[in-house]
Amino acid sequence: GQQLNQSPQSMFIQEGEDVSMNCTSSSIFNTWLWYKQEPGEGPVLLIALYKAGELTSNGRLTAQFGITRKDSFLNISASIPSDVGIYFCAGQDAGGTSYGKLTFGQGTILTVHP
Amino acid sequence: DAGVTQSPTHLIKTRGQQVTLRCSPKSGHDTVSWYQQALGQGPQFIFQYYEEEERQRGNFPDRFSGHQFPNYSSELNVNALLLGDSALYLCASSLITATYEQYFGPGTRLTVT
């Protein structure tokens, strides 16, 4: 089945630094999404990407849908303490029997030191 | 605008028991998906409901079953609980025309002892 490899597994950074994380898949996805999860909460949708090569921003967050459709990255610029949390990539294959199902990566734990 | 709500927040059950978890989708959404999130892992897809029918299922045994009601709310039932069923159970809602954008509830933390 489809698997997503997300890296790095964890990051410890200073406030104000930029952050980059990425996700690779063994198969093609038609949609890539990035979520953030904080303790005791469900994942919150940050950015959705629908087309290969697409670059989308949401405030200090920027994400790109890889040209091969098998990867995506998320950048966070000028990190602040409230960026702390677990970031998940997720992909959806719009065709075949996988329609509707999201496949998630293992998550990147982000810690920001003031 | 109410988001996705789930109940209960926490639940403790004994091995072999049965449990029912509940979900109300975001206002205007008609599709509900359920995920299991083990500690330190990403969510794993269990199944998805639309028009009161299960339309897609992940790699979970038949002990996991669900239901969707006419008002689009949903239940997840797990029979014959195992210790390994301990996890955060997440409900996500979406429009059937846009199932790629799923919005998650806060989850139900199930502990099986």
Side-chain angles (χ1 to χ4, degrees):
Chain A
Q2 294 168 330
Q3 292 188 0
L4 294 186
N5 292 310
Q6 190 171 345
S7 64
Q9 287 188 336
S10 60
M11 302 183 73
F12 298 84
I13 63 170
Q14 291 293 129
E15 183 177 0
E17 290 184 358
D18 296 344
V19 171
S20 184
M21 59 191 78
N22 67 78
C23 211
T24 58
S25 169
S26 57
S27 54
I28 289 171
F29 285 115
N30 284 348
T31 304
W32 281 95
L33 307 115
W34 286 91
Y35 286 86
K36 177 187 177 186
Q37 187 174 28
E38 298 184 38
E41 303 289 331
V44 173
L45 182 60
L46 299 174
I47 291 181
L49 302 155
Y50 307 112
K51 207 163 69 170
E54 179 182 356
L55 186 71
T56 297
S57 292
N58 178 8
R60 294 179 295 105
L61 277 60
T62 301
Q64 184 158 30
F65 191 145
I67 291 291
T68 65
R69 295 166 63 194
K70 291 185 177 182
D71 63 319
S72 177
F73 73 75
L74 175 70
N75 286 340
I76 305 173
S77 63
S79 58
I80 58 178
S82 62
D83 290 333
V84 165
I86 305 175
Y87 291 79
F88 290 99
C89 61
Q92 190 192 53
D93 178 0
T97 59
S98 300
Y99 187 79
K101 165 187 172 182
L102 293 183
T103 300
F104 281 81
Q106 308 97 313
T108 294
I109 302 171
L110 179 63
T111 303
V112 180
H113 295 288
Chain B
D1 180 22
V4 180
T5 59
Q6 292 186 243
S7 64
T9 306
H10 296 88
L11 205 52
I12 300 175
K13 289 286 189 178
T14 303
R15 192 171 42 184
Q17 286 187 318
Q18 178 263 344
V19 69
T20 297
L21 311 181
R22 295 176 176 81
C23 171
S24 290
K26 181 179 166 66
S27 178
H29 282 181
D30 54 14
T31 303
V32 173
S33 303
W34 286 92
Y35 292 80
Q36 180 194 66
Q37 186 177 23
L39 205 59
Q41 302 292 319
Q44 296 287 317
F45 177 79
I46 303 175
F47 41 52
Q48 184 180 83
Y49 276 84
Y50 171 66
E51 289 190 329
E52 303 178 48
E53 289 192 1
E54 181 184 296
R55 64 192 299 266
Q56 191 178 7
R57 188 179 184 93
N59 295 325
F60 280 81
D62 292 344
R63 299 186 296 109
F64 289 77
S65 63
H67 189 77
Q68 186 180 32
F69 299 94
N71 66 353
Y72 307 117
S73 67
S74 177
E75 288 182 350
L76 164 66
N77 300 292
V78 187
N79 294 322
L81 284 166
L82 303 174
L83 297 179
D85 294 331
S86 295
L88 180 68
Y89 288 85
L90 295 163
C91 168
S93 74
S94 60
L95 290 169
I96 191 59
T97 52
T99 58
Y100 42 81
E101 281 195 25
Q102 297 183 17
Y103 294 85
F104 286 80
T108 294
R109 173 69 64 186
L110 173 65
T111 302
V112 182
T113 61

